[in-house]
């Protein structure tokens, strides 16, 4: 049913029977339920369907559009200012043409929209029976393009610093090798090595983002000892000079068997613990507990421990309340102490790829608290 967005009597004026495949009324679908703008003109070029999304995109009420000429309802122009309907001429143009591919066009006032059209003919090369126009708002695409541009700018900035350092030190060593002492050479090479590692990490982050955004993040599930994994990270920080009493690991037993990608879990732990160490203060507490997965908890009838939860908290200033909903977005930085702002976005993608959840809040000690839960269980291919 097309409802109020259809001109009176339009269904009887040569409309496809309800039983024909593809007919909205025959499928019980209201055109107002469609996410994209839908505008349909009959064989005379008069609008017989104008759904709610089309009204939202064009700022034109359906009652003012129905019954009017299609080129008046949608006075579209291309980016060079030419009238689109005069260029395409669906009713008087080539009889073999069946569609217009999607392209950017302008509505009055300069608003940009994505427009595609399909020509329904009585028979091949026959006269037009319907012109079906699809409208899409470009705002979402513009946001995506802006995000990509921001990502490129961030990457270029982050790459410039270590590559400049690498180039400078290597050029200096090659030109003046004999003028430096062994200690000076070692210091320069250690700096080059550290900057090369920084570039490698950034490239790895970009690859992770690409896989997360495209849904192609591969997981190689194996049994994971979460306590041992956290312990390795704590030992690494202590070996690097952090006091041992700054870390507190608490585990609740028994923990259910966890199958996950150990490398990806190490990446999540590394990011969360590093954030607590760098941006937090006081004791960094890591709690590992069994819990119910979101699915089981939502059922209300299963109290089994079906997930492993890890909470990382500190005693620093925490995250401002107004920033809580932006923590897992790209480029969010909790402080001005460097970083690309991509780490927590990747962490969220990894956790969700495992079927888990991650949240952020305020710890009892006032600092930041990150908690992620991973569902447990043996992979189906091993059962």
């Amino acid at each position: 049913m097309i409802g109020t967005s259809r001109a009176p009597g339009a269904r009887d004026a040569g409309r496809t029977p309800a039983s024909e495949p593809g007919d909205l009324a025959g499928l019980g679908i209201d055109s107002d339920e469609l996410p994209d703008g839908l505008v349909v003109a009959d064989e005379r070029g008069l609008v017989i369907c104008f759904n709610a999304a089309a009204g939202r995109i064009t700022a034109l009420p359906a009652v003012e559009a129905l019954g009017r000429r299609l080129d008046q309802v949608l006075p579209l122009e291309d980016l060079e200012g030419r009238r689109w309907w005069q260029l395409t001429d669906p009713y008087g143009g080539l009889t073999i043409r069946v569609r217009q591919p999607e392209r950017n066009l302008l509505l009055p006032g300069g608003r940009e929209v994505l427009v595609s059209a399909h020509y329904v003919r009585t028979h091949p090369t026959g006269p037009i029976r319907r012109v079906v126009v699809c409208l899409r708002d470009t705002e979402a695409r513009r946001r995506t393009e802006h995000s990509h541009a921001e990502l490129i700018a961030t990457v270029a900035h982050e790459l410039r610093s270590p590559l400049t350092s690498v180039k400078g030190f290597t050029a200096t060593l090659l030109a003046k090798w004999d003028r430096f002492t062994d200690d000076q050479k070692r210091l320069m090479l250690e700096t080059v090595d550290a900057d090369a590692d920084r570039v490698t990490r950034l490239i790895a982050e970009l690859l992770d983002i690409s896989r997360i955004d495209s849904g192609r993040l591969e997981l190689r599930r194996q049994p994971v000892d979460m306590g041992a994994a956290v312990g390795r990270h704590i030992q690494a920080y202590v070996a690097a000079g952090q006091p041992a009493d700054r870390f507190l690991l608490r585990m609740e037993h028994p923990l259910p068997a966890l199958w996950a990608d150990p490398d990806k879990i190490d990446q999540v732990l590394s990011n969360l613990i590093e954030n607590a160490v760098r941006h937090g203060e006081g004791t960094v507490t890591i709690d590992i507990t069994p819990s119910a997965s979101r699915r089981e908890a939502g059922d209300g009838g299963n109290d089994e421990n079906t997930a492993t939860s890890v909470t990382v908290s500190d005693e620093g200033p925490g995250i401002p309340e107004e920033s809580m909903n932006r923590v897992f977005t790209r480029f969010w930085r909790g402080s001005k102490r460097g970083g690309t702002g991509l780490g927590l976005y990747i962490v969220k993608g990894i956790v969700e790829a495992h079927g888990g959840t991650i949240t952020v809040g305020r710890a009892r000690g006032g600092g930041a608290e990150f908690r992620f839960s991973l569902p447990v269980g043996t992979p189906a291919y091993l059962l």
Side-chain angles (χ1 to χ4, degrees), residues 97-230:
R97 183 173 291 162
V98 295
R99 70 184 185 92
Q100 290 290 341
E102 186 177 74
R103 62 179 298 178
N104 284 30
L105 296 173
L106 300 176
L107 288 169
R111 183 174 184 183
E112 194 171 336
V113 291
L114 295 171
V115 182
S116 59
H118 179 71
Y119 304 154
V120 181
R121 301 182 182 276
T122 55
H123 58 272
T125 72
I128 293 287
R129 185 164 63 87
R130 294 283 188 271
V131 174
V132 182
V133 182
C134 179
L135 305 175
R136 291 182 178 177
D137 198 335
T138 61
E139 187 61 32
R141 180 173 293 187
R142 187 178 294 110
R143 286 196 300 268
T144 300
E145 291 174 351
H146 176 75
S147 177
H148 289 166
E150 191 175 2
L151 177 61
I152 292 171
T154 299
V155 170
H157 175 76
E158 292 293 329
L159 284 174
R160 185 184 298 117
S161 177
L163 288 178
T164 300
S165 171
V166 169
K167 177 61 178 176
F169 279 122
T170 53
T172 300
L173 286 171
L174 288 171
K176 303 176 182 180
W177 178 269
D178 295 332
R179 300 185 186 181
F180 297 107
T181 66
D182 288 345
D183 288 340
Q184 289 173 325
K185 293 174 183 176
R186 175 176 292 277
L187 177 60
M188 290 184 185
L189 290 174
E190 286 176 347
T191 304
V192 169
D193 184 62
D195 285 333
D197 287 341
R198 181 178 168 188
V199 172
T200 301
R201 285 195 300 271
L202 180 59
I203 293 173
E205 287 182 344
L206 293 176
L207 290 173
D208 285 335
I209 287 176
S210 173
R211 291 167 183 146
I212 289 169
D213 288 347
S214 62
R216 294 185 293 107
L217 187 67
E218 295 182 3
L219 301 178
R220 295 177 174 83
R221 295 182 184 266
Q222 303 173 31
V224 173
D225 185 336
M226 190 65 78
V230 173

Side-chain angles (χ1 to χ4, degrees), residues 230-231 233-239 241-250 273-274 276-278 282-286 312-313:
V230 173
H233 285 279
I234 293 176
Q235 291 171 7
Y237 276 105
V238 172
Q242 289 287 337
D245 58 1
R246 189 178 180 189
F247 300 93
L248 174 60
L249 173 59
R250 299 185 298 203
I273 297 174
E274 181 182 2
V277 172
R278 290 180 59 191
T283 302
V284 175
T285 303
I286 302 100
V312 180
S313 58

Side-chain angles (χ1 to χ4, degrees), residues 246-268:
R246 189 178 180 189
F247 300 93
L248 174 60
L249 173 59
R250 299 185 298 203
M251 294 178 57
E252 183 178 326
H253 292 285
L255 289 173
L258 173 64
W259 284 74
D261 187 317
D263 292 335
K264 296 291 188 292
I265 297 305
D266 270 341
Q267 194 173 349
V268 170

Side-chain angles (χ1 to χ4, degrees), residues 35-54:
D36 296 329
L38 176 67
V39 182
V40 182
D42 62 13
E43 66 276 5
R44 297 169 297 169
L46 302 180
V47 174
I48 60 173
C49 176
F50 195 84
N51 73 347

